[in-house]
């Protein structure tokens, strides 16, 4: 079984290589721009009412994967699916960004942690009722060796 | 440009048709089971330390899309990307579930809102430092007509 995904846009960011790129959007105040292809612009109506959006995108510079990886924030090998490492069987990235403004098919966003030119797969509104959980445990991340 | 995604597993749930299925996982205490294909099982190590996981999956029963949709919780047409509607150009679903237990390649989860047999694309640990935002505005959802 296979599913073919085609980008609906491209994410522009200040980061042109992995070393510059923040590890997660909460660690970034970087400004970026989401260019949604004009044929999808009509689907962006009402999005400007939301302060935050979920971006799903392709880690397009990641090739291959291993099932044990050393997270950027730790020095031990961990199971890949217990990390946010970009090299995954389906290399889909997920980031929550602040939506600063929409101008037709262009979204100005803050808190960018993706590479310039990242292919965009989907945009969803960030809704705390759906997306926020309390009383959360975070395993190795709680006792990570780096910060 | 196209990206081919292959499932890494399948999600088992009590829901065999759309009408039974909860609108969002926070509205569900339903128990489900994620069956990760054995060849990926090694990537699940360390996941049991996390109380919640992010599941990315295919809305496999959704076909086609329109750029304006009526959300389940509202009675006005909204831009598709300002909703969580399952019919999308790239029909990728995102749910946060509570991880109850892991037995090798099987995950018991609570808070299931997907159809039985849903193809799984990725699992990520849910980390409030990355995934939680405060001071959030939610546009039409705040003034929605239904609940």
């Amino acid at each position: 079984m296979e599913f073919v995904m085609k980008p609906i846009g491209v994410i522009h960011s200040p980061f042109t290589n992995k070393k510059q790129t923040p590890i997660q959007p909460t660690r970034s105040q970087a400004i970026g721009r989401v260019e949604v292809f004009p044929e999808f612009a009509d689907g962006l109506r009402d999005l400007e009412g939301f302060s935050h959006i979920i971006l799903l995108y392709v880690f397009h510079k990641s090739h291959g994967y291993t099932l044990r990886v050393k997270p950027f924030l730790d020095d031990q090998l961990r199971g890949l699916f217990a990390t946010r490492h970009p090299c995954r069987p389906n290399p889909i990235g997920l980031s929550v960004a602040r939506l600063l403004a929409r101008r037709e098919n262009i979204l100005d966003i803050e808190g960018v942690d993706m590479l310039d030119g990242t292919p965009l797969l989907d945009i969803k509104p960030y809704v705390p009722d759906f997306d926020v959980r309390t009383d959360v445990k975070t395993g190795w991340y709680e006792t990570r060796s780096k910060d």
Side-chain angles (χ1 to χ4, degrees), chain A:
Chain A
M1 197 168 23
E2 289 186 349
F3 298 94
V4 176
M5 306 285 173
K6 292 184 190 181
I8 61 164
V10 61
I11 304 173
H12 301 282
S13 91
F15 309 115
T16 53
N17 70 58
K18 289 179 201 173
K19 284 199 180 157
Q20 301 171 315
T21 307
I23 289 171
Q24 283 287 337
T26 44
R27 295 165 179 262
S28 164
Q29 271 100 52
I31 302 292
R33 192 161 47 84
V34 177
E35 177 193 350
V36 173
F37 299 141
E39 62 265 36
F40 300 109
D42 208 36
L44 298 173
R45 269 172 71 111
D46 305 299
L47 194 63
E48 59 275 5
F50 292 80
S51 61
H52 293 77
I53 57 178
I54 298 172
L55 300 171
L56 297 180
Y57 51 89
V58 180
F59 289 121
H60 65 305
K61 294 292 186 190
S62 298
H63 302 290
Y65 66 92
T66 53
L67 292 174
R68 305 264 182 102
V69 296
K70 216 171 269 189
F72 295 118
L73 297 173
D74 203 13
D75 57 10
Q76 286 188 46
L77 285 172
R78 304 293 181 181
L80 174 62
F81 300 115
T83 78
R84 305 286 280 252
H85 199 283
C87 297
R88 319 179 73 82
N90 294 305
I92 303 174
L94 179 173
S95 297
V96 181
R98 179 180 284 274
L99 177 60
L100 301 174
R102 173 168 84 88
R103 287 164 285 122
E104 304 199 345
N105 64 319
I106 304 294
L107 308 176
D108 294 325
I109 58 172
E110 183 186 86
V112 167
D113 67 335
M114 55 290 274
L115 287 170
D116 189 47
T118 290
L120 177 69
L121 294 178
D122 198 12
I123 300 172
K124 299 182 196 289
Y126 179 77
V127 179
D129 282 356
F130 305 158
D131 300 313
V132 173
R133 296 297 184 286
T134 53
D135 199 16
V136 169
K137 286 187 209 162
T138 58
W140 68 262
Y141 181 80
E142 286 174 22
T143 54
R144 67 195 177 276
S145 58
K146 302 176 195 173
D147 205 15

